[in-house]
Amino acid sequence: MTVAATNLFDILPLNLFNLFSTQGHGNLQRHYMAILLRIYDLAEFNRFGLTRDVDVAEIVDYLKTVDAEDLATVDAETDEENSERDYASYLLRSLVGAGWLEREQSADYIEFITLPDYAFTLLEAFRSIQEQKPKEFTGQLYAAHQLL
């Protein structure tokens, strides 16, 4: 009895990768990835989620490190003179809308932002690609070879 393999796109949200195909909007996909990796770094040690305020503050912190001219305006919503916090909230909503992040509200009405399991797995892979670390088992194979 063979079990049919589940198609990856039956699990992932349909527009998950749309943020990275923002042609005509400068290097916005680079900023989305940098923001996701920063949130991933925070969430890695807090799997129960981060408050929305912590996520917005992290995005604002990132925006302060980026040249303002490097950020492209994406929508009419961001065309006006908005604060960094408003723009950070817009970027956070975009990430939630694409399925990279999920919102949860606690009983005391505090909003938490969590990474779904598939996003956690993908971001771990993206981070290891970005860091260009050698494969861990290579060192283990070398050590085993030396012991022989």
Side-chain angles (χ1 to χ4, degrees), residues 63-80:
L63 292 175
K64 289 179 180 178
T65 65
V66 175
D67 184 18
E69 294 172 4
D70 193 27
L71 287 174
T73 54
V74 180
D75 202 5
E77 182 177 352
T78 60
D79 284 342
E80 307 165 2

Side-chain angles (χ1 to χ4, degrees), residues 13-77:
L14 294 175
N15 60 348
L16 185 69
F17 295 104
N18 288 358
L19 292 176
F20 305 120
S21 64
T22 53
Q23 295 176 348
H25 296 296
N27 292 326
L28 197 56
Q29 64 269 21
R30 292 174 173 268
H31 300 297
Y32 278 124
M33 183 55 67
I35 290 167
L36 279 169
L37 289 173
R38 286 178 79 132
I39 291 173
Y40 171 79
D41 287 341
L42 291 174
E44 189 173 23
F45 300 106
N46 191 352
R47 290 293 302 245
F48 298 111
L50 302 164
T51 63
R52 183 182 182 283
D53 292 336
V54 168
D55 284 331
V56 169
E58 185 66 24
I59 296 171
V60 167
D61 186 47
Y62 170 75
L63 292 175
K64 289 179 180 178
T65 65
V66 175
D67 184 18
E69 294 172 4
D70 193 27
L71 287 174
T73 54
V74 180
D75 202 5
E77 182 177 352

Side-chain angles (χ1 to χ4, degrees), residues 6 10 18 23 35 41 44 46 49 52 64 71 83 89 91 96-98 104 107 109 118 129 134 139 148:
T6 304
D10 291 337
N18 288 358
Q23 295 176 348
I35 290 167
D41 287 341
E44 189 173 23
N46 191 352
R52 183 182 182 283
K64 289 179 180 178
L71 287 174
S83 70
S89 294
L91 293 173
V96 169
E104 295 178 7
Y109 300 105
Y118 58 82
I129 291 169
L148 295 174

Side-chain angles (χ1 to χ4, degrees), residues 123-137:
L123 290 171
E124 175 64 31
F126 291 151
R127 183 173 68 177
S128 66
I129 291 169
Q130 180 186 29
E131 293 174 352
Q132 298 181 351
K133 287 184 179 177
K135 300 275 187 216
E136 290 179 21
F137 60 83

Side-chain angles (χ1 to χ4, degrees), residues 67-125:
D67 184 18
E69 294 172 4
D70 193 27
L71 287 174
T73 54
V74 180
D75 202 5
E77 182 177 352
T78 60
D79 284 342
E80 307 165 2
E81 282 293 323
N82 287 331
S83 70
E84 286 176 333
R85 188 164 175 80
D86 292 338
Y87 192 62
S89 294
Y90 169 78
L91 293 173
L92 186 64
R93 285 192 307 273
S94 298
L95 292 169
V96 169
W100 283 100
L101 304 171
E102 292 178 346
R103 289 180 175 168
E104 295 178 7
Q105 193 170 23
S106 65
D108 55 354
Y109 300 105
I110 295 175
E111 187 175 6
F112 286 90
I113 305 294
T114 59
L115 284 166
D117 290 337
Y118 58 82
F120 221 90
T121 304
L122 287 169
L123 290 171
E124 175 64 31

